Amino acid sequence: MILIAGPCVIEKDPSIAFQTAEQLKNLTEDLQMPYIFKASYDKANRSSLSSYRGVGLEKGLDILDEVKQQFGLPILTDVHSPAEAHIAAEVVDILQIPAFLCRQTDLLVAAAKTGKIVNIKKGQFLAPSDIEYCIRKVTDSGNKNVLVTERGFAFGYGNLVSDMRAIPIMQRFGYPVIFDATHSVQLPGGVGGASSGERQFVETLARAAVAAGANGLFLEVHPQPDLAPCDGPNMITPDTTRALLTVCQAIFQIVHQ
């Protein structure tokens, strides 16, 4: 079972990224689980103009490179434009296409042409069968290194619903499907100009997704989620992550035995 995990965004205090990376590396080594560190240098789709976005491309990539070198971890980060994709590819191992941009042809093609693994987060507005066309934009551009991440569907105002049928549907296209258990409990616009979340349901959805055959989990993890500048209500702590992964790994082994 693959784990992609880390804080939502690189904060003004970069020690959060290093602290989280170290704790998750130690945890996944104990569990013998492949681990990819994730954090965003910029969150370009915040609800409000005044919301915290990150430290920016240049500084953010410097910090991600330090995490990579210090802990020997593969790195994933979001990219929002073709130009960013080429710059970020010099540092990171996986380029993530944000859910709201999953159909942006120029971005998908540019990410593909870097030769890096491309993680496509399925948009909340997209049927799982339609992810095929997003995948094709990458593979037809000469890159077969693709991951797909499920993060829930928008079926109503201010809420997301996870349909576990999406996992086997998207796996039919031949690429691993990761389940984002923390963004799936997000409540878009739940506190007016920002999203809220229900982290108490992260474990329920994660266990269900692994039981449904997901190839791995995506988790946003923070030592003090309630103090995080964004996505705090749906992030979990490293201690919670350990307990969650222990259970999910056992489920994964049963499903795949």
Side-chain angles (χ1 to χ4, degrees):
M1 187 175 75
I2 302 165
L3 176 67
I4 300 171
C8 170
V9 68
I10 299 172
E11 300 179 24
K12 294 177 182 178
D13 177 5
S15 68
I16 298 295
F18 291 96
Q19 178 184 344
T20 307
E22 181 175 22
Q23 290 177 309
L24 292 176
K25 180 182 179 181
N26 292 338
L27 164 58
T28 51
E29 285 181 346
D30 288 345
L31 296 174
Q32 298 183 325
M33 182 180 295
Y35 170 49
I36 300 156
F37 177 81
K38 67 81 49 186
S40 300
Y41 54 78
D42 181 24
K43 301 297 287 188
N45 62 347
R46 299 290 87 187
S47 298
S48 169
L49 184 62
S50 61
S51 298
Y52 180 74
R53 290 180 50 167
V55 296
L57 177 64
E58 184 175 351
K59 185 175 181 180
L61 289 177
D62 285 344
I63 292 169
L64 290 173
D65 192 41
E66 286 186 51
V67 171
K68 182 176 185 177
Q69 301 306 323
Q70 183 171 335
F71 299 107
L73 294 170
I75 304 293
L76 174 150
T77 199
D78 296 292
V79 291
H80 305 91
S81 69
E84 278 187 30
H86 291 291
I87 296 170
E90 297 177 7
V91 173
V92 306
D93 304 279
I94 302 177
L95 299 174
Q96 179 163 281
I97 309 300
F100 286 130
L101 300 178
C102 70
R103 290 180 52 169
Q104 293 295 103
T105 300
D106 291 346
L107 178 58
L108 288 162
V109 171
K113 289 183 175 179
T114 67
K116 297 292 185 176
I117 298 170
V118 180
N119 182 37
I120 307 170
K121 298 198 80 174
K122 184 188 70 60
Q124 304 92 314
F125 49 86
L126 203 67
S129 57
D130 288 339
I131 199 68
E132 177 184 8
Y133 306 103
C134 305
I135 293 171
R136 284 185 184 179
K137 290 178 181 180
V138 176
T139 58
D140 289 352
S141 299
N143 189 339
K144 306 296 184 183
N145 302 311
V146 176
L147 297 173
V148 178
T149 295
E150 164 60 24
R151 50 86 34 93
F153 299 83
F155 277 122
Y157 297 118
N159 198 9
L160 298 173
V161 175
S162 293
D163 180 355
M164 296 304 165
R165 296 176 300 175
I167 293 169
I169 289 171
M170 294 193 293
Q171 285 173 329
R172 293 188 319 213
F173 305 120
Y175 297 94
V177 173
I178 310 299
F179 181 74
D180 182 345
T182 46
H183 281 104
S184 292
V185 301
Q186 198 173 58
L187 301 176
V191 286
S195 294
S196 185
E198 297 176 315
R199 73 167 69 101
Q200 68 268 30
F201 296 122
V202 169
E203 183 174 357
T204 301
L205 293 182
R207 292 184 312 206
V210 174
N215 301 98
L217 291 174
F218 181 111
L219 301 171
E220 288 199 329
V221 180
H222 193 286
Q224 295 180 289
D226 291 333
L227 300 181
C230 68
D231 278 9
N234 49 267
M235 285 199 281
I236 59 176
T237 66
D239 287 343
T240 302
T241 303
R242 176 179 289 274
L244 171 62
L245 292 181
T246 300
V247 172
C248 287
Q249 186 177 52
I251 297 171
F252 184 89
Q253 291 169 347
I254 292 170
V255 171
H256 294 276
Q257 66 184 1

